[in-house]
Amino acid sequence: MSQSLENRAHAPIGVFDSGVGGLTVAREIMRQLPRERIIYFGDTARLPYGSKSRETIIRYSRQIIRFLQEKGVKAIVVACNTASAFALEQVRKEFILPMIGVVRPGAKVAAKTSKNGRIGVIGTEGTIGSQIYTRTIREHNPKAEVIGKPCPLLVPLVEEGWLKDPITVEIATRYLDFFLKSDIDTLIMGCTHYPLLRSTLRGILGDAVNLVNPAYETARSLKLMLEEQGLINDDGEEAGLKYQFYVSDAAEKFRNFANSILPCEIEEARLVHIEE
Ligand code: DGL
């Protein structure tokens, strides 16, 4: 490995989302790639992304990637389904950093593991409206039938911490009723927040439906990508802060949520004026 590649392998991974949702992806990266450093950006001032236009999401993503690039990251994880759906293709053309989104890894696993080819996807209005899961699943299984359903109310319920609350169960049941009648054998939790509702969704759908967690699959794909590019950090602990968190607003609220789901305690989330 050349000296510069070795140095780059020690650089952190940039991970971003509209807010706290991408922490489910960061958590999987921490578990599967424990030697990697992470710089996380949560765009808490401008969430939700799920109801915004493609142009807006591309502009936000561009600003955040520029910020992470200035911090010296070696790769970018677009840890938001909506930004992966709307912006990833465009920003890949504009930056030379290796990038990975959360859609392809989950879509691929769903296409390969579904037995009857009937796959459900839940996500934001933006993600479902973009049809990105349908297109990506069909690249791997052209005959797959993909049934998408936006479930926007689940995001604020997760952020409220009401993961198993009767209200959450009732709303999720109302959304998933649609799938209970459509004979799917696989459901992609296509929004960063939904893996936190896994047991609630499992309780409603039963064991016959396989739940695909894009956060988990993304961390696996990230590992492969870093290995292929000689960017994996296999040198043990690095000096300095292992995980750093930045947000565009409400840092304390973010920190509290992060500490409720991450395997480590975070001391600080720093405020950044990302538009400047
Ligand atoms: N992170 C977003 C996603 O996965 C959900 C939250 C939002 O709409 O900003 O699509």
Side-chain angles (χ1 to χ4, degrees), residues 87-97 99-101:
L88 181 59
E89 204 184 325
Q90 179 59 32
V91 291
R92 266 203 176 120
K93 295 182 198 147
E94 300 176 14
F95 295 86
I96 48 166
L97 282 166
M99 289 189 202
I100 187 169

Side-chain angles (χ1 to χ4, degrees), residues 28 40 183:
E28 288 298 339
Y40 184 97
D183 192 28

Side-chain angles (χ1 to χ4, degrees), residues 1 6 9-10 35-36 74 231-237:
M1 192 191 287
E6 201 173 314
H10 290 160
R35 289 177 173 162
E36 297 293 340
K74 63 182 174 187
L231 288 175
I232 202 104
N233 184 12
D234 45 20
D235 248 15
E237 296 275 314

Side-chain angles (χ1 to χ4, degrees), residues 1 13 36 47 67-68 84 95 122 181 195 230 240:
M1 192 191 287
I13 298 163
E36 297 293 340
L47 60 78
F67 167 78
L68 292 169
S84 299
F95 295 86
I122 51 176
K181 295 170 192 142

Side-chain angles (χ1 to χ4, degrees), residues 9-68:
H10 290 160
I13 298 163
V15 179
F16 78 90
D17 175 46
S18 57
V20 293
L23 291 168
T24 58
V25 182
R27 180 173 70 169
E28 288 298 339
I29 299 171
M30 291 171 183
R31 284 177 181 155
Q32 295 183 38
L33 293 160
R35 289 177 173 162
E36 297 293 340
R37 294 160 64 204
I38 294 173
I39 298 185
Y40 184 97
F41 183 86
D43 200 0
T44 43
R46 304 188 292 193
L47 60 78
Y49 279 12
S51 53
K52 296 202 168 64
S53 71
R54 178 182 298 272
E55 291 67 32
T56 300
I57 300 304
I58 290 176
R59 183 162 58 83
Y60 290 176
S61 301
R62 199 180 274 141
Q63 289 169 344
I64 297 166
I65 294 169
R66 218 173 276 141
F67 167 78
L68 292 169

